[in-house]
Amino acid sequence: LARGEDVVHNAVDKAKLALAHNLLDLFMIRRMKKEVEKLMPPKIETKVLCPLSTTQIFWYKAILMKDLSLLARMADKVAAEGEGGTSKPAVGAAAQKQLNNLVMQLRKCCLHPYLFDGAELDMDATTIEDIIAASGKLAVLDKLLRTLFQKGHRVVLFSQFTSVLDILDDYCNMRGWKYCRFDGSTPRARRNFTVNQ
């Protein structure tokens, strides 16, 4: 198996790969949740489209306008590649990094504009209406959470950004709701203790 991979040419011998899979099948068992836990209800996925708020539209346009020259350069490179028929990548590593940064900023804008410095004018004077109105996602989430809270449901929210959890902290505090927050900085012992309460 050691000679089944050619790192230099990024190639793998298909026969050796199949042999490795057969060897691993003897030691590994792949199980699905629905096969192991029979009482678990089937997963229901609902997609909810959330419009951008006026604040988000302002910030979204500002971010795009700031990086308009980057987008124009990339469009020119892609167009030139189409005409020339070269097999070289259209975007260099530095431009790719800039593009990834731009996408991340746009992603943050779609979550909540208060993730940007200066978007929240006066942190002490911000009301719950301000926090909700600034984000289309939070406006939709607010409607869902209020309905669930009135019916006595418990809710789990996940986010890849701890800064979004900070905004949700403020939101829950202003609503007067009890909540637990777990993120990467929460010690395991504290997590276990809080969940068991």
Side-chain angles (χ1 to χ4, degrees):
L1 291 178
R3 294 187 181 156
E5 182 180 15
D6 184 2
V7 179
V8 176
H9 295 98
N10 196 20
V12 175
D13 183 4
K14 303 278 186 203
K16 300 243 178 171
L17 183 63
L19 178 63
H21 279 283
N22 290 336
L23 284 172
L24 287 175
D25 282 342
L26 298 173
F27 301 103
M28 296 178 66
I29 299 173
R30 182 174 180 175
R31 302 184 301 175
M32 303 292 211
K33 282 184 198 174
K34 63 184 176 186
E35 296 169 357
V36 176
E37 183 58 60
K38 302 287 184 189
L39 299 176
M40 185 179 290
K43 181 174 117 178
I44 299 171
E45 185 174 322
T46 306
K47 292 184 181 181
V48 179
L49 301 177
C50 305
L52 293 177
S53 68
T54 53
T55 309
Q56 285 174 303
I57 291 170
F58 169 81
W59 280 93
Y60 202 93
K61 286 180 179 177
I63 292 166
L64 283 176
M65 294 305 288
K66 180 181 75 100
D67 289 326
L68 193 59
S69 61
L70 169 69
L71 294 172
R73 283 194 320 267
M74 289 188 174
D76 291 342
K77 284 183 181 181
V78 169
E81 181 191 82
E83 294 170 4
T86 61
S87 61
K88 292 190 323 186
V91 181
Q96 183 67 40
K97 187 174 180 179
Q98 288 178 314
L99 186 61
N100 287 341
N101 186 34
L102 172 64
V103 170
M104 184 58 72
Q105 296 305 311
L106 293 173
R107 222 176 124 196
K108 283 171 50 179
C109 179
C110 290
L111 290 171
H112 204 291
Y114 287 2
L115 295 174
F116 298 109
D117 292 334
E120 189 175 10
L121 299 176
D122 184 6
M123 293 170 76
D124 296 329
T126 302
T127 64
I128 191 160
E129 290 81 16
D130 296 334
I131 290 177
I132 294 168
S135 171
K137 281 188 178 185
L138 191 55
V140 172
L141 183 64
D142 178 58
K143 289 178 185 176
L144 289 170
L145 289 178
R146 283 188 295 146
T147 303
L148 292 169
F149 181 76
Q150 289 169 353
K151 294 179 181 178
H153 290 278
R154 296 188 320 174
V155 177
V156 179
L157 299 174
F158 295 94
S159 177
Q160 293 179 334
F161 298 96
T162 55
S163 50
V164 171
L165 295 178
D166 294 337
I167 292 172
L168 290 173
D169 275 347
D170 294 341
Y171 167 78
C172 289
N173 282 328
M174 290 179 178
R175 281 273 178 233
W177 294 340
K178 288 174 39 177
Y179 66 93
C180 299
R181 174 181 171 159
F182 302 126
D183 59 31
S185 66
T186 307
R188 181 181 210 132
R190 179 168 177 89
R191 254 186 257 167
N192 293 338
F193 175 75
T194 307
V195 167
N196 291 329
Q197 279 187 326

